[in-house]
Amino acid sequence: MADSQAVASLRTGSVLLCLCALFLFSALDATAKHLSAFLAVPLLVWARYLVHLLIMVLTILPGQGRGIILTRRPWLMGLRGVTLAGVTLLGQLALYTLPLAETTALIFVAPLLVALLAGPLLGEQVRSRTWLATVAGFAGVLLIARPGGNLAATGVACALGAALCYAAYQILTRKLVATEPPMRLLFYTALLGTLVMSPVVPVFWDGRLPSFGQGLLVVSLGVYGGLGHLLLIRAFRETPASLLSPLLYIQLVWATLLGWLVFDHLPDLPAIGGMLIIGGSGLSLAIGRPR
């Protein structure tokens, strides 16, 4: 009895950690969207990864030592880091022109792409329900980015590009988790994101420094991202992924709420329908995934 209560308590804690992580990711997107009116998006992406890297160097690296850096699969680790940087850059470019909730929903077609690509790339069986969920998910995309709607085509293209990069990132993560510990994976995302985005700084920075308040918000991007990933790693370490994966779609709720509170935007009815279809399609795959 005591063991079952302990397991239930542990899983409740993991659910709370997961929900907090998803809120932090939505807060990161909302903050980046606000800052993009004052600062170039590539600079925001660079700052997000630089702060994340500094946090890990100061807090995680001393305890991990060389173990957090040494890897037997440097090329895959590097490619994984580049794909996540692509997710962040394209996602924030999409947020520059699109509302928060719609952008989040479009990027959430990534799990559907993973389900399809897992067949040829990972050798997993692609079932008929996967095809049906994917077709339904892209029908949801058409409802959000429907012809005659008020969403910018370039923003939609960036969001779908971010979804494709995110799918590649997830597939590479599946390939690496067997040999690479979570903290090493997290460290390399911060390191590669910083290295990839550093060359753009001289191109987009005109020498002006952000105000004190803007500077705090810029630093918060790295805090939101780094802390969110740490909480998510902790949650999935303590609880089976099959129980937590469906919760990831709560981020759509957080994004809609923050889009309303911060930017006074609510999706119209067709967009809400598209978001529900995308979320439902992804949920059908997450719930039906073997433990």
Side-chain angles (χ1 to χ4, degrees):
M1 183 66 178
D3 289 342
S4 62
Q5 289 179 343
V7 170
S9 176
L10 191 62
R11 289 184 175 177
T12 300
S14 295
V15 167
L16 293 176
L17 288 177
C18 184
L19 294 178
C20 288
L22 297 175
F23 176 78
L24 290 173
F25 294 148
S26 293
L28 188 158
D29 289 340
T31 305
K33 180 174 176 61
H34 168 73
L35 287 171
S36 65
F38 312 99
L39 300 168
V41 168
L43 293 179
L44 297 176
V45 177
W46 169 75
R48 174 255 186 273
Y49 282 109
L50 178 62
V51 173
H52 182 178
L53 178 63
L54 292 176
I55 290 174
M56 294 208 70
V57 168
L58 294 175
T59 61
I60 305 298
L61 185 60
Q64 297 278 335
R66 296 176 60 193
I68 201 173
I69 301 174
L70 299 178
T71 175
R72 290 178 290 173
R73 309 171 82 177
W75 291 108
L76 281 182
M77 292 284 278
L79 183 59
R80 177 180 174 273
V82 170
T83 58
L84 186 58
V87 175
T88 308
L89 178 60
L90 290 172
Q92 291 191 17
L93 286 172
L95 285 169
Y96 183 72
T97 57
L98 300 183
L100 186 60
E102 284 87 335
T103 303
T104 303
L106 291 173
I107 295 175
F108 260 71
V109 303
L112 305 176
L113 296 174
V114 170
L116 288 181
L117 295 174
L121 296 180
L122 298 177
E124 298 180 6
Q125 182 181 2
V126 181
R127 298 171 295 174
S128 58
R129 66 181 294 174
T130 299
W131 287 103
L132 291 174
T134 304
V135 171
F138 280 100
V141 170
L142 291 177
L143 279 175
I144 295 174
R146 61 194 181 278
N150 56 2
L151 296 186
T154 53
V156 172
C158 286
L160 294 178
L164 185 59
C165 288
Y166 196 27
Y169 166 80
Q170 292 186 29
I171 289 174
L172 289 168
T173 300
R174 288 193 194 183
K175 284 181 171 290
L176 287 164
V177 290
T179 59
E180 308 295 335
M183 285 302 169
R184 186 183 298 156
L185 291 170
L186 185 58
F187 177 79
Y188 267 85
T189 58
L191 176 63
L192 267 297
T194 304
L195 292 178
V196 167
M197 297 307 301
S198 290
V200 309
V201 175
V203 177
F204 288 92
W205 187 41
D206 58 6
R208 292 181 299 171
L209 294 175
S211 67
F212 179 74
Q214 291 172 348
L216 290 178
L217 290 177
V218 169
V219 171
S220 75
L221 297 177
V223 175
Y224 291 147
L227 183 57
H229 281 292
L230 286 173
L231 293 180
L232 207 58
I233 286 172
R234 179 66 180 271
F236 275 88
R237 186 176 65 184
E238 305 291 350
T239 301
S242 58
L243 298 180
L244 291 181
S245 293
L247 292 178
L248 298 180
Y249 291 88
I250 297 295
Q251 188 171 344
L252 289 172
V253 178
W254 289 135
T256 303
L257 182 62
L258 288 176
W260 174 49
L261 294 176
V262 179
F263 303 103
D264 194 27
H265 173 84
L266 283 174
D268 57 20
L269 287 178
I272 291 175
M275 292 168 64
L276 291 174
I277 291 173
I278 292 172
S281 301
L283 278 174
S284 70
L285 296 181
I287 294 173
R289 185 181 301 150
R291 291 179 182 269

